[in-house]
PDB file of all heavy atoms in Angstrom:
ATOM      1  N   VAL Q1201     -36.055 240.398 -89.781  1.00 98.00           N
ATOM      2  CA  VAL Q1201     -37.479 240.739 -89.733  1.00 98.00           C
ATOM      3  C   VAL Q1201     -38.237 239.747 -88.860  1.00 98.00           C
ATOM      4  O   VAL Q1201     -38.075 238.531 -89.001  1.00 98.00           O
ATOM      5  CB  VAL Q1201     -38.105 240.745 -91.144  1.00 98.00           C
ATOM      6  CG1 VAL Q1201     -39.591 241.111 -91.071  1.00 98.00           C
ATOM      7  CG2 VAL Q1201     -37.366 241.717 -92.058  1.00 98.00           C
ATOM      8  N   MET Q1202     -39.059 240.286 -87.962  1.00 98.00           N
ATOM      9  CA  MET Q1202     -40.014 239.466 -87.212  1.00 98.00           C
ATOM     10  C   MET Q1202     -41.418 239.831 -87.659  1.00 98.00           C
ATOM     11  O   MET Q1202     -41.909 240.921 -87.357  1.00 98.00           O
ATOM     12  CB  MET Q1202     -39.894 239.676 -85.694  1.00 98.00           C
ATOM     13  CG  MET Q1202     -40.949 238.875 -84.909  1.00 98.00           C
ATOM     14  SD  MET Q1202     -40.855 239.119 -83.114  1.00 98.00           S
ATOM     15  CE  MET Q1202     -39.505 237.999 -82.723  1.00 98.00           C
ATOM     16  N   PRO Q1203     -42.105 238.957 -88.387  1.00 98.00           N
ATOM     17  CA  PRO Q1203     -43.493 239.208 -88.773  1.00 98.00           C
ATOM     18  C   PRO Q1203     -44.441 238.793 -87.650  1.00 98.00           C
ATOM     19  O   PRO Q1203     -44.180 237.811 -86.944  1.00 98.00           O
ATOM     20  CB  PRO Q1203     -43.674 238.319 -90.001  1.00 98.00           C
ATOM     21  CG  PRO Q1203     -42.747 237.168 -89.767  1.00 98.00           C
ATOM     22  CD  PRO Q1203     -41.587 237.717 -88.970  1.00 98.00           C
ATOM     23  N   LEU Q1204     -45.541 239.516 -87.516  1.00 98.00           N
ATOM     24  CA  LEU Q1204     -46.503 239.230 -86.448  1.00 98.00           C
ATOM     25  C   LEU Q1204     -47.766 238.558 -86.964  1.00 98.00           C
ATOM     26  O   LEU Q1204     -48.807 238.594 -86.319  1.00 98.00           O
ATOM     27  CB  LEU Q1204     -46.846 240.523 -85.698  1.00 98.00           C
ATOM     28  CG  LEU Q1204     -45.659 241.175 -84.985  1.00 98.00           C
ATOM     29  CD1 LEU Q1204     -46.097 242.453 -84.285  1.00 98.00           C
ATOM     30  CD2 LEU Q1204     -45.006 240.204 -84.004  1.00 98.00           C
ATOM     31  N   SER Q1205     -47.657 237.955 -88.147  1.00 96.00           N
ATOM     32  CA  SER Q1205     -48.761 237.130 -88.657  1.00 96.00           C
ATOM     33  C   SER Q1205     -48.177 235.988 -89.464  1.00 96.00           C
ATOM     34  O   SER Q1205     -47.073 236.100 -90.021  1.00 96.00           O
ATOM     35  CB  SER Q1205     -49.728 237.944 -89.525  1.00 96.00           C
ATOM     36  OG  SER Q1205     -49.229 238.090 -90.845  1.00 96.00           O
ATOM     37  N   LEU Q1206     -48.924 234.890 -89.543  1.00 95.00           N
ATOM     38  CA  LEU Q1206     -48.462 233.747 -90.334  1.00 95.00           C
ATOM     39  C   LEU Q1206     -48.514 234.047 -91.824  1.00 95.00           C
ATOM     40  O   LEU Q1206     -47.738 233.490 -92.596  1.00 95.00           O
ATOM     41  CB  LEU Q1206     -49.293 232.514 -89.994  1.00 95.00           C
ATOM     42  CG  LEU Q1206     -49.186 232.020 -88.540  1.00 95.00           C
ATOM     43  CD1 LEU Q1206     -49.956 230.719 -88.372  1.00 95.00           C
ATOM     44  CD2 LEU Q1206     -47.731 231.846 -88.116  1.00 95.00           C
ATOM     45  N   HIS Q1207     -49.429 234.934 -92.238  1.00 94.00           N
ATOM     46  CA  HIS Q1207     -49.461 235.349 -93.648  1.00 94.00           C
ATOM     47  C   HIS Q1207     -48.127 235.990 -94.036  1.00 94.00           C
ATOM     48  O   HIS Q1207     -47.531 235.654 -95.067  1.00 94.00           O
ATOM     49  CB  HIS Q1207     -50.594 236.346 -93.894  1.00 94.00           C
ATOM     50  CG  HIS Q1207     -51.958 235.769 -93.842  1.00 94.00           C
ATOM     51  ND1 HIS Q1207     -52.391 234.765 -94.683  1.00 94.00           N
ATOM     52  CD2 HIS Q1207     -53.033 236.066 -93.049  1.00 94.00           C
ATOM     53  CE1 HIS Q1207     -53.652 234.461 -94.416  1.00 94.00           C
ATOM     54  NE2 HIS Q1207     -54.056 235.229 -93.431  1.00 94.00           N
ATOM     55  N   ALA Q1208     -47.652 236.931 -93.213  1.00 96.00           N
ATOM     56  CA  ALA Q1208     -46.396 237.617 -93.502  1.00 96.00           C
ATOM     57  C   ALA Q1208     -45.209 236.678 -93.348  1.00 96.00           C
ATOM     58  O   ALA Q1208     -44.241 236.761 -94.115  1.00 96.00           O
ATOM     59  CB  ALA Q1208     -46.244 238.831 -92.595  1.00 96.00           C
ATOM     60  N   ALA Q1209     -45.254 235.774 -92.369  1.00 96.00           N
ATOM     61  CA  ALA Q1209     -44.171 234.809 -92.193  1.00 96.00           C
ATOM     62  C   ALA Q1209     -44.028 233.937 -93.440  1.00 96.00           C
ATOM     63  O   ALA Q1209     -42.913 233.661 -93.904  1.00 96.00           O
ATOM     64  CB  ALA Q1209     -44.435 233.945 -90.965  1.00 96.00           C
ATOM     65  N   ASN Q1210     -45.146 233.525 -93.992  1.00 95.00           N
ATOM     66  CA  ASN Q1210     -45.119 232.717 -95.204  1.00 95.00           C
ATOM     67  C   ASN Q1210     -44.526 233.503 -96.376  1.00 95.00           C
ATOM     68  O   ASN Q1210     -43.760 232.959 -97.184  1.00 95.00           O
ATOM     69  CB  ASN Q1210     -46.531 232.258 -95.554  1.00 95.00           C
ATOM     70  CG  ASN Q1210     -46.559 231.327 -96.744  1.00 95.00           C
ATOM     71  OD1 ASN Q1210     -45.942 230.268 -96.732  1.00 95.00           O
ATOM     72  ND2 ASN Q1210     -47.280 231.715 -97.783  1.00 95.00           N
ATOM     73  N   ALA Q1211     -44.840 234.803 -96.457  1.00 94.00           N
ATOM     74  CA  ALA Q1211     -44.308 235.642 -97.536  1.00 94.00           C
ATOM     75  C   ALA Q1211     -42.796 235.785 -97.439  1.00 94.00           C
ATOM     76  O   ALA Q1211     -42.124 235.977 -98.453  1.00 94.00           O
ATOM     77  CB  ALA Q1211     -44.969 237.017 -97.496  1.00 94.00           C
ATOM     78  N   LEU Q1212     -42.250 235.688 -96.233  1.00 96.00           N
ATOM     79  CA  LEU Q1212     -40.818 235.895 -96.025  1.00 96.00           C
ATOM     80  C   LEU Q1212     -40.021 234.589 -95.978  1.00 96.00           C
ATOM     81  O   LEU Q1212     -38.794 234.613 -96.029  1.00 96.00           O
ATOM     82  CB  LEU Q1212     -40.593 236.672 -94.729  1.00 96.00           C
ATOM     83  CG  LEU Q1212     -41.132 238.106 -94.727  1.00 96.00           C
ATOM     84  CD1 LEU Q1212     -41.104 238.683 -93.321  1.00 96.00           C
ATOM     85  CD2 LEU Q1212     -40.330 238.980 -95.672  1.00 96.00           C
ATOM     86  N   THR Q1213     -40.705 233.472 -95.878  1.00 94.00           N
ATOM     87  CA  THR Q1213     -40.023 232.181 -95.815  1.00 94.00           C
ATOM     88  C   THR Q1213     -39.267 231.929 -97.117  1.00 94.00           C
ATOM     89  O   THR Q1213     -39.813 232.076 -98.203  1.00 94.00           O
ATOM     90  CB  THR Q1213     -41.034 231.050 -95.568  1.00 94.00           C
ATOM     91  OG1 THR Q1213     -41.687 231.277 -94.322  1.00 94.00           O
ATOM     92  CG2 THR Q1213     -40.342 229.696 -95.534  1.00 94.00           C
ATOM     93  N   GLY Q1214     -38.004 231.564 -96.992  1.00 88.00           N
ATOM     94  CA  GLY Q1214     -37.195 231.277 -98.171  1.00 88.00           C
ATOM     95  C   GLY Q1214     -36.456 232.468 -98.725  1.00 88.00           C
ATOM     96  O   GLY Q1214     -35.687 232.330 -99.682  1.00 88.00           O
ATOM     97  N   ALA Q1215     -36.667 233.667 -98.162  1.00 90.00           N
ATOM     98  CA  ALA Q1215     -35.932 234.855 -98.608  1.00 90.00           C
ATOM     99  C   ALA Q1215     -34.464 234.681 -98.220  1.00 90.00           C
ATOM    100  O   ALA Q1215     -34.132 234.611 -97.035  1.00 90.00           O
ATOM    101  CB  ALA Q1215     -36.509 236.106 -97.974  1.00 90.00           C
ATOM    102  N   THR Q1216     -33.577 234.619 -99.208  1.00 88.00           N
ATOM    103  CA  THR Q1216     -32.202 234.187 -98.961  1.00 88.00           C
ATOM    104  C   THR Q1216     -31.359 235.208 -98.223  1.00 88.00           C
ATOM    105  O   THR Q1216     -30.492 234.844 -97.428  1.00 88.00           O
ATOM    106  CB  THR Q1216     -31.520 233.834-100.293  1.00 88.00           C
ATOM    107  OG1 THR Q1216     -31.616 234.963-101.175  1.00 88.00           O
ATOM    108  CG2 THR Q1216     -32.200 232.636-100.949  1.00 88.00           C
ATOM    109  N   GLY Q1217     -31.567 236.501 -98.431  1.00 91.00           N
ATOM    110  CA  GLY Q1217     -30.728 237.501 -97.790  1.00 91.00           C
ATOM    111  C   GLY Q1217     -31.254 237.992 -96.469  1.00 91.00           C
ATOM    112  O   GLY Q1217     -30.661 238.864 -95.833  1.00 91.00           O
ATOM    113  N   LEU Q1218     -32.366 237.454 -96.026  1.00 96.00           N
ATOM    114  CA  LEU Q1218     -33.092 237.977 -94.874  1.00 96.00           C
ATOM    115  C   LEU Q1218     -33.018 237.000 -93.709  1.00 96.00           C
ATOM    116  O   LEU Q1218     -33.145 235.781 -93.898  1.00 96.00           O
ATOM    117  CB  LEU Q1218     -34.546 238.228 -95.291  1.00 96.00           C
ATOM    118  CG  LEU Q1218     -35.523 238.820 -94.287  1.00 96.00           C
ATOM    119  CD1 LEU Q1218     -36.471 239.782 -95.001  1.00 96.00           C
ATOM    120  CD2 LEU Q1218     -36.343 237.695 -93.650  1.00 96.00           C
ATOM    121  N   THR Q1219     -32.833 237.531 -92.505  1.00 97.00           N
ATOM    122  CA  THR Q1219     -32.904 236.712 -91.296  1.00 97.00           C
ATOM    123  C   THR Q1219     -34.317 236.799 -90.740  1.00 97.00           C
ATOM    124  O   THR Q1219     -34.792 237.888 -90.391  1.00 97.00           O
ATOM    125  CB  THR Q1219     -31.899 237.197 -90.238  1.00 97.00           C
ATOM    126  OG1 THR Q1219     -30.576 237.119 -90.772  1.00 97.00           O
ATOM    127  CG2 THR Q1219     -31.996 236.355 -88.977  1.00 97.00           C
ATOM    128  N   LEU Q1220     -34.992 235.670 -90.686  1.00 97.00           N
ATOM    129  CA  LEU Q1220     -36.398 235.622 -90.268  1.00 97.00           C
ATOM    130  C   LEU Q1220     -36.500 235.155 -88.828  1.00 97.00           C
ATOM    131  O   LEU Q1220     -35.994 234.085 -88.467  1.00 97.00           O
ATOM    132  CB  LEU Q1220     -37.174 234.678 -91.187  1.00 97.00           C
ATOM    133  CG  LEU Q1220     -38.660 234.477 -90.890  1.00 97.00           C
ATOM    134  CD1 LEU Q1220     -39.431 235.776 -91.025  1.00 97.00           C
ATOM    135  CD2 LEU Q1220     -39.237 233.410 -91.827  1.00 97.00           C
ATOM    136  N   LEU Q1221     -37.145 235.967 -87.983  1.00 97.00           N
ATOM    137  CA  LEU Q1221     -37.421 235.609 -86.596  1.00 97.00           C
ATOM    138  C   LEU Q1221     -38.919 235.388 -86.433  1.00 97.00           C
ATOM    139  O   LEU Q1221     -39.716 236.186 -86.933  1.00 97.00           O
ATOM    140  CB  LEU Q1221     -36.975 236.720 -85.647  1.00 97.00           C
ATOM    141  CG  LEU Q1221     -35.511 237.155 -85.699  1.00 97.00           C
ATOM    142  CD1 LEU Q1221     -35.277 238.285 -84.707  1.00 97.00           C
ATOM    143  CD2 LEU Q1221     -34.583 235.986 -85.407  1.00 97.00           C
ATOM    144  N   LEU Q1222     -39.304 234.348 -85.710  1.00 96.00           N
ATOM    145  CA  LEU Q1222     -40.721 234.062 -85.502  1.00 96.00           C
ATOM    146  C   LEU Q1222     -41.054 234.142 -84.012  1.00 96.00           C
ATOM    147  O   LEU Q1222     -40.386 233.508 -83.193  1.00 96.00           O
ATOM    148  CB  LEU Q1222     -41.074 232.672 -86.027  1.00 96.00           C
ATOM    149  CG  LEU Q1222     -40.924 232.458 -87.531  1.00 96.00           C
ATOM    150  CD1 LEU Q1222     -41.269 231.018 -87.899  1.00 96.00           C
ATOM    151  CD2 LEU Q1222     -41.807 233.427 -88.301  1.00 96.00           C
ATOM    152  N   PRO Q1223     -42.084 234.919 -83.656  1.00 96.00           N
ATOM    153  CA  PRO Q1223     -42.519 234.964 -82.258  1.00 96.00           C
ATOM    154  C   PRO Q1223     -43.398 233.765 -81.934  1.00 96.00           C
ATOM    155  O   PRO Q1223     -43.844 233.043 -82.831  1.00 96.00           O
ATOM    156  CB  PRO Q1223     -43.336 236.257 -82.202  1.00 96.00           C
ATOM    157  CG  PRO Q1223     -43.952 236.334 -83.573  1.00 96.00           C
ATOM    158  CD  PRO Q1223     -42.914 235.776 -84.524  1.00 96.00           C
ATOM    159  N   GLY Q1224     -43.637 233.555 -80.668  1.00 94.00           N
ATOM    160  CA  GLY Q1224     -44.652 232.593 -80.289  1.00 94.00           C
ATOM    161  C   GLY Q1224     -46.025 233.239 -80.380  1.00 94.00           C
ATOM    162  O   GLY Q1224     -46.172 234.359 -80.866  1.00 94.00           O
ATOM    163  N   GLY Q1225     -47.036 232.544 -79.904  1.00 96.00           N
ATOM    164  CA  GLY Q1225     -48.366 233.137 -79.854  1.00 96.00           C
ATOM    165  C   GLY Q1225     -49.436 232.283 -80.490  1.00 96.00           C
ATOM    166  O   GLY Q1225     -49.159 231.233 -81.071  1.00 96.00           O
ATOM    167  N   ARG Q1226     -50.661 232.758 -80.378  1.00 95.00           N
ATOM    168  CA  ARG Q1226     -51.827 232.058 -80.914  1.00 95.00           C
ATOM    169  C   ARG Q1226     -52.327 232.804 -82.143  1.00 95.00           C
ATOM    170  O   ARG Q1226     -52.662 233.987 -82.058  1.00 95.00           O
ATOM    171  CB  ARG Q1226     -52.936 232.005 -79.860  1.00 95.00           C
ATOM    172  CG  ARG Q1226     -54.215 231.316 -80.322  1.00 95.00           C
ATOM    173  CD  ARG Q1226     -55.228 231.261 -79.182  1.00 95.00           C
ATOM    174  NE  ARG Q1226     -55.593 232.598 -78.724  1.00 95.00           N
ATOM    175  CZ  ARG Q1226     -56.550 233.336 -79.304  1.00 95.00           C
ATOM    176  NH1 ARG Q1226     -57.201 232.884 -80.359  1.00 95.00           N
ATOM    177  NH2 ARG Q1226     -56.844 234.539 -78.830  1.00 95.00           N
ATOM    178  N   PRO Q1227     -52.409 232.146 -83.310  1.00 94.00           N
ATOM    179  CA  PRO Q1227     -52.914 232.832 -84.503  1.00 94.00           C
ATOM    180  C   PRO Q1227     -54.433 232.995 -84.466  1.00 94.00           C
ATOM    181  O   PRO Q1227     -55.155 232.038 -84.174  1.00 94.00           O
ATOM    182  CB  PRO Q1227     -52.474 231.927 -85.660  1.00 94.00           C
ATOM    183  CG  PRO Q1227     -52.246 230.587 -85.052  1.00 94.00           C
ATOM    184  CD  PRO Q1227     -51.908 230.803 -83.615  1.00 94.00           C
ATOM    185  N   ARG Q1228     -54.901 234.208 -84.731  1.00 88.00           N
ATOM    186  CA  ARG Q1228     -56.340 234.443 -84.830  1.00 88.00           C
ATOM    187  C   ARG Q1228     -56.857 233.816 -86.115  1.00 88.00           C
ATOM    188  O   ARG Q1228     -56.241 233.956 -87.171  1.00 88.00           O
ATOM    189  CB  ARG Q1228     -56.640 235.939 -84.856  1.00 88.00           C
ATOM    190  CG  ARG Q1228     -56.389 236.665 -83.551  1.00 88.00           C
ATOM    191  CD  ARG Q1228     -56.415 238.170 -83.743  1.00 88.00           C
ATOM    192  NE  ARG Q1228     -57.638 238.635 -84.394  1.00 88.00           N
ATOM    193  CZ  ARG Q1228     -57.741 239.800 -85.011  1.00 88.00           C
ATOM    194  NH1 ARG Q1228     -56.693 240.607 -85.102  1.00 88.00           N
ATOM    195  NH2 ARG Q1228     -58.876 240.161 -85.556  1.00 88.00           N
ATOM    196  N   PRO Q1229     -58.004 233.118 -86.063  1.00 79.00           N
ATOM    197  CA  PRO Q1229     -58.553 232.487 -87.271  1.00 79.00           C
ATOM    198  C   PRO Q1229     -58.748 233.499 -88.393  1.00 79.00           C
ATOM    199  O   PRO Q1229     -59.203 234.617 -88.173  1.00 79.00           O
ATOM    200  CB  PRO Q1229     -59.900 231.926 -86.783  1.00 79.00           C
ATOM    201  CG  PRO Q1229     -59.719 231.720 -85.313  1.00 79.00           C
ATOM    202  CD  PRO Q1229     -58.822 232.842 -84.866  1.00 79.00           C
ATOM    203  N   GLY Q1230     -58.385 233.101 -89.614  1.00 74.00           N
ATOM    204  CA  GLY Q1230     -58.558 233.958 -90.776  1.00 74.00           C
ATOM    205  C   GLY Q1230     -57.481 235.012 -90.869  1.00 74.00           C
ATOM    206  O   GLY Q1230     -56.723 235.071 -91.833  1.00 74.00           O
ATOM    207  N   GLU Q1231     -57.372 235.833 -89.851  1.00 83.00           N
ATOM    208  CA  GLU Q1231     -56.383 236.908 -89.811  1.00 83.00           C
ATOM    209  C   GLU Q1231     -54.969 236.344 -89.706  1.00 83.00           C
ATOM    210  O   GLU Q1231     -54.015 236.913 -90.243  1.00 83.00           O
ATOM    211  CB  GLU Q1231     -56.673 237.821 -88.621  1.00 83.00           C
ATOM    212  CG  GLU Q1231     -55.972 239.129 -88.645  1.00 83.00           C
ATOM    213  CD  GLU Q1231     -56.603 240.101 -89.615  1.00 83.00           C
ATOM    214  OE1 GLU Q1231     -57.790 239.913 -89.981  1.00 83.00           O
ATOM    215  OE2 GLU Q1231     -55.915 241.038 -90.018  1.00 83.00           O
ATOM    216  N   LEU Q1232     -54.839 235.252 -88.933  1.00 91.00           N
ATOM    217  CA  LEU Q1232     -53.547 234.609 -88.651  1.00 91.00           C
ATOM    218  C   LEU Q1232     -52.553 235.556 -87.982  1.00 91.00           C
ATOM    219  O   LEU Q1232     -51.341 235.360 -88.061  1.00 91.00           O
ATOM    220  CB  LEU Q1232     -52.936 233.989 -89.916  1.00 91.00           C
ATOM    221  CG  LEU Q1232     -53.769 232.878 -90.582  1.00 91.00           C
ATOM    222  CD1 LEU Q1232     -52.996 232.241 -91.721  1.00 91.00           C
ATOM    223  CD2 LEU Q1232     -54.214 231.824 -89.567  1.00 91.00           C
ATOM    224  N   ALA Q1233     -53.072 236.611 -87.343  1.00 94.00           N
ATOM    225  CA  ALA Q1233     -52.236 237.487 -86.517  1.00 94.00           C
ATOM    226  C   ALA Q1233     -51.872 236.740 -85.243  1.00 94.00           C
ATOM    227  O   ALA Q1233     -52.708 236.061 -84.646  1.00 94.00           O
ATOM    228  CB  ALA Q1233     -52.997 238.759 -86.183  1.00 94.00           C
ATOM    229  N   LEU Q1234     -50.631 236.862 -84.817  1.00 97.00           N
ATOM    230  CA  LEU Q1234     -50.175 236.189 -83.610  1.00 97.00           C
ATOM    231  C   LEU Q1234     -50.464 237.071 -82.395  1.00 97.00           C
ATOM    232  O   LEU Q1234     -50.095 238.250 -82.376  1.00 97.00           O
ATOM    233  CB  LEU Q1234     -48.686 235.887 -83.720  1.00 97.00           C
ATOM    234  CG  LEU Q1234     -48.368 234.862 -84.811  1.00 97.00           C
ATOM    235  CD1 LEU Q1234     -46.894 234.899 -85.181  1.00 97.00           C
ATOM    236  CD2 LEU Q1234     -48.776 233.466 -84.364  1.00 97.00           C
ATOM    237  N   THR Q1235     -51.130 236.506 -81.406  1.00 96.00           N
ATOM    238  CA  THR Q1235     -51.541 237.277 -80.236  1.00 96.00           C
ATOM    239  C   THR Q1235     -51.282 236.481 -78.962  1.00 96.00           C
ATOM    240  O   THR Q1235     -50.967 235.295 -78.997  1.00 96.00           O
ATOM    241  CB  THR Q1235     -53.041 237.638 -80.297  1.00 96.00           C
ATOM    242  OG1 THR Q1235     -53.813 236.425 -80.315  1.00 96.00           O
ATOM    243  CG2 THR Q1235     -53.367 238.454 -81.533  1.00 96.00           C
ATOM    244  N   GLY Q1236     -51.421 237.164 -77.840  1.00 96.00           N
ATOM    245  CA  GLY Q1236     -51.314 236.507 -76.546  1.00 96.00           C
ATOM    246  C   GLY Q1236     -49.988 236.744 -75.858  1.00 96.00           C
ATOM    247  O   GLY Q1236     -49.091 237.409 -76.391  1.00 96.00           O
ATOM    248  N   PRO Q1237     -49.825 236.214 -74.644  1.00 96.00           N
ATOM    249  CA  PRO Q1237     -48.640 236.490 -73.829  1.00 96.00           C
ATOM    250  C   PRO Q1237     -47.335 236.007 -74.456  1.00 96.00           C
ATOM    251  O   PRO Q1237     -46.287 236.617 -74.234  1.00 96.00           O
ATOM    252  CB  PRO Q1237     -48.932 235.773 -72.508  1.00 96.00           C
ATOM    253  CG  PRO Q1237     -50.037 234.802 -72.811  1.00 96.00           C
ATOM    254  CD  PRO Q1237     -50.829 235.405 -73.909  1.00 96.00           C
TER     255      PRO Q1237
END
């Protein structure tokens, strides 16, 4: 799973059976959605 927000990334951190991929990007304030090139 690749989440596109830090909120969702935090929810998936530590999930033992899941492979977590993190994109780069700039988190929008409050929303923490990752955006940009």
Side-chain angles (χ1 to χ4, degrees):
V1201 180
M1202 177 181 279
L1204 297 179
S1205 81
L1206 297 185
H1207 289 300
N1210 184 59
L1212 295 169
T1213 299
T1216 55
L1218 182 143
T1219 300
L1220 179 62
L1221 303 179
L1222 296 178
R1226 179 177 61 85
R1228 290 167 53 200
E1231 195 76 20
L1232 299 186
L1234 294 163
T1235 61

